[in-house]
Amino acid sequence: MLFGAVGTLISFCVISIGAIHFFKKMNIGDLTLGDYLAIGAIFSATDSVCTLQVLNQDETPLLYSLVFGEGVVNDATSVVLFNAIQTFDISHIDSTMALQYIGNFLYLFILSTLLGVLAGLLSAYIIRKLYFGRHSTDREVALMMLMAYLSYMLAELFSFSAILTVFFCGIVMSHYTWHNVTESSRVTTKHAFATLSFVSEIFIFLYVGMDALDIEKWRVISDSPGTSVGVSGILLGLILVGRAAFVFPLSFISNLTRKAPHEKVDFKQQVTVWWAGLMRGAVSMALAYNQFTSLGHTQLRGNAMMITSTISVVLFSTVVFGLMTKPLVRLLLPSPKHLMRTLSSEPSTPKSFIVPLLGNEGEPEADQNNRNACRPTSLRMLLTTPSNTVHYYWRKFDDAFMRPVFGGRGFVPFVPGSPTEQNGHQWQ
């Protein structure tokens, strides 16, 4: 989370300064300081949907998790930055206003996070303590979906970052709420949300394609196609530099705090993370339309230039960078042959991938040895002996205080007739 938030701020500064330096010399239109800062927020938002579509969770689980977490926090941070810019008069900026801007950013970021955590804990408590929907898959699934949607609605109501709120609500619900429902409800929610995610991705790319064919904005800049190409090229260059400005330095600092060699992020992994975050998508499009159009329309040359350049950057980065990501991952991080055989012979079941990450209490010793022998190395790294890290102390606090109240794996009370209890022998 810290990697994504700090990285977004660095990328925001690089892109904003670069836009001010280059675009003022190109005479693309009347853009204010607020517009330049908005450009930094717009193009700091990576498209985690595009990136995750070209990565394989089975082949590179650690990289997939890193890109997913950094991408979601990145989008949320960009939206919070953009919203903070809209609330201030940037034309008369001074040190006091700069501090107010930083304070407003932290206010939105922290409160959005807390709202998501509270909504997730509330859903866990309702299902665990009040037994709403117990033994009814329909009611349990409906309650989980409605509580997640409630967090989104509350964030919009209080003008917080809905992306950040839903993200942390989902983290908390997966840690507590998901383990409090029956086995049939777990399977149903997994496939229901996967289906909704797939349909949403289709609509996202459909909307981007429809925006690309909006002739009105292209007609406004038709007299200067070279300038439009130059603006798009500069934005792509700033994205490359802004991404590199935080991925490599922050990875270097992170490696200094890690003693074990396998815990460090090597250069090839850093290049992969840098490249995987170059794509831009729906968030950039939405913020650009919010900043440079009125109800989707504009006749101003500068605004039309930025809209068409955003469309060009989104399409180019999605098609070119997206197609090259998969070969790049295979070139930089080739999968061992024994790992490929393991992944191809084992189904991606909850037992084969989730249970090893959650613990091994109650399993026969022979089963543990057999499981560890065939588990991918990147997953076994997470099962090394506990160390005195933040995660270690959090687990102690979680086991002692949080999970006895809100539930979770190993803390769900016995309920006669529950499908979870009936199928329990399959997990042991």
Side-chain angles (χ1 to χ4, degrees):
M1 173 181 158
L2 184 62
F3 181 86
V6 175
T8 304
L9 293 175
I10 296 175
S11 181
F12 164 76
C13 294
V14 171
I15 296 175
S16 297
I17 295 174
I20 294 174
H21 177 74
F22 290 106
F23 293 164
K24 282 188 175 181
K25 298 179 179 179
M26 298 180 65
N27 190 27
I28 63 174
D30 296 328
L31 298 180
T32 65
L33 178 59
D35 292 330
Y36 290 119
L37 294 179
I39 291 173
I42 290 169
F43 291 99
S44 296
T46 63
D47 189 356
S48 57
V49 172
C50 294
T51 305
L52 296 175
Q53 287 301 304
V54 297
L55 290 179
N56 191 312
Q57 188 175 10
D58 295 339
E59 295 179 6
T60 55
L62 189 60
L63 179 62
Y64 185 95
S65 300
L66 179 61
V67 172
F68 172 76
E70 187 257 333
V72 175
V73 175
N74 172 281
D75 287 348
T77 306
S78 298
V79 173
V80 172
L81 278 171
F82 184 84
N83 290 335
I85 292 172
Q86 307 305 308
T87 60
F88 287 95
D89 182 12
I90 309 296
S91 60
H92 303 287
I93 191 170
D94 53 21
S95 58
T96 302
M97 182 168 290
L99 292 176
Q100 290 179 348
Y101 177 80
I102 296 174
N104 188 55
F105 168 79
L106 295 176
Y107 166 81
L108 291 175
F109 194 94
I110 294 174
L111 289 187
S112 299
T113 301
L114 291 178
L115 180 59
V117 171
L118 290 177
L121 292 177
L122 178 61
S123 68
Y125 184 83
I126 289 176
I127 292 181
R128 174 176 166 80
K129 294 294 185 179
L130 303 183
Y131 295 95
F132 282 180
R134 181 66 69 185
H135 299 301
S136 173
T137 299
D138 297 339
R139 294 192 181 109
E140 285 184 333
V141 173
L143 185 60
M144 291 182 67
M145 289 186 172
L146 290 175
M147 291 302 298
Y149 187 63
L150 175 64
S151 68
Y152 173 84
M153 295 300 295
L154 290 176
E156 289 293 322
L157 178 64
F158 295 112
S159 299
F160 295 158
S161 172
I163 295 179
L164 197 62
T165 298
V166 172
F167 174 62
F168 279 96
C169 180
I171 290 178
V172 174
M173 291 182 72
S174 67
H175 188 64
Y176 299 110
T177 311
W178 194 74
H179 296 284
N180 294 341
V181 300
T182 58
E183 183 67 19
S184 58
S185 297
R186 297 181 192 177
V187 175
T188 303
T189 53
K190 175 183 177 181
H191 291 286
F193 281 109
T195 302
L196 291 174
S197 174
F198 180 73
V199 173
S200 299
E201 291 170 12
I202 293 177
F203 276 104
I204 287 175
F205 288 107
L206 177 63
Y207 289 145
V208 172
M210 293 173 63
D211 289 334
L213 298 177
D214 188 355
I215 305 300
E216 175 192 4
K217 301 172 184 62
W218 295 97
R219 186 181 295 114
V220 174
I221 64 166
S222 60
D223 60 332
S224 55
T227 303
S228 178
V229 174
V231 170
S232 301
I234 291 173
L235 289 174
L236 283 171
L238 291 176
I239 290 173
L240 294 171
V241 175
R243 183 82 182 163
F246 79 86
V247 169
F248 298 108
L250 292 184
S251 298
F252 175 76
I253 295 175
S254 176
N255 288 338
L256 295 179
T257 63
R258 302 169 187 252
K259 297 182 180 179
H262 67 267
E263 294 179 351
K264 297 184 177 181
V265 183
D266 60 34
F267 182 73
K268 290 184 177 180
Q269 292 174 328
Q270 294 176 29
V271 172
T272 305
V273 173
W274 168 73
W275 183 271
L278 295 178
M279 286 172 277
R280 299 298 181 266
V283 176
S284 296
M285 289 291 298
L287 296 181
Y289 269 84
N290 186 294
Q291 177 69 23
F292 296 108
T293 66
S294 176
L295 300 178
H297 301 281
T298 183
Q299 293 295 329
L300 299 177
R301 184 173 181 275
N303 291 351
M305 184 73 69
M306 294 313 306
I307 292 294
T308 54
S309 297
T310 302
I311 294 174
S312 300
V313 169
V314 168
L315 293 179
F316 182 86
S317 63
T318 300
V319 175
V320 177
F321 295 159
L323 290 176
M324 294 180 64
T325 298
K326 189 73 172 183
L328 185 68
V329 171
R330 290 179 175 176
L331 176 64
L332 296 177
L333 305 173
S335 301
K337 294 183 179 180
H338 72 277
L339 175 57
M340 294 302 297
R341 288 196 299 267
T342 299
L343 294 172
S344 61
S345 62
E346 293 186 4
S348 299
T349 61
K351 181 174 179 60
S352 64
F353 281 100
I354 297 177
V355 172
L357 296 176
L358 297 177
N360 53 12
E361 295 94 347
E363 294 185 2
E365 182 178 356
D367 184 58
Q368 292 182 25
N369 295 334
N370 183 46
R371 173 174 58 79
N372 290 335
C374 64
R375 198 59 45 212
T377 305
S378 56
L379 292 179
R380 280 192 286 127
M381 287 185 200
L382 304 178
L383 301 176
T384 54
T385 55
S387 58
N388 295 329
T389 61
V390 174
H391 180 262
Y392 171 72
Y393 289 112
W394 158 250
R395 289 302 299 267
K396 292 182 63 177
F397 173 79
D398 190 34
D399 293 340
F401 300 101
M402 299 296 290
R403 293 207 286 178
V405 176
F406 298 103
R409 186 175 186 271
F411 284 82
V412 180
F414 173 77
V415 179
S418 170
T420 304
E421 297 298 335
Q422 292 174 1
N423 300 332
H425 65 279
Q426 299 178 3
W427 295 77
Q428 299 178 357

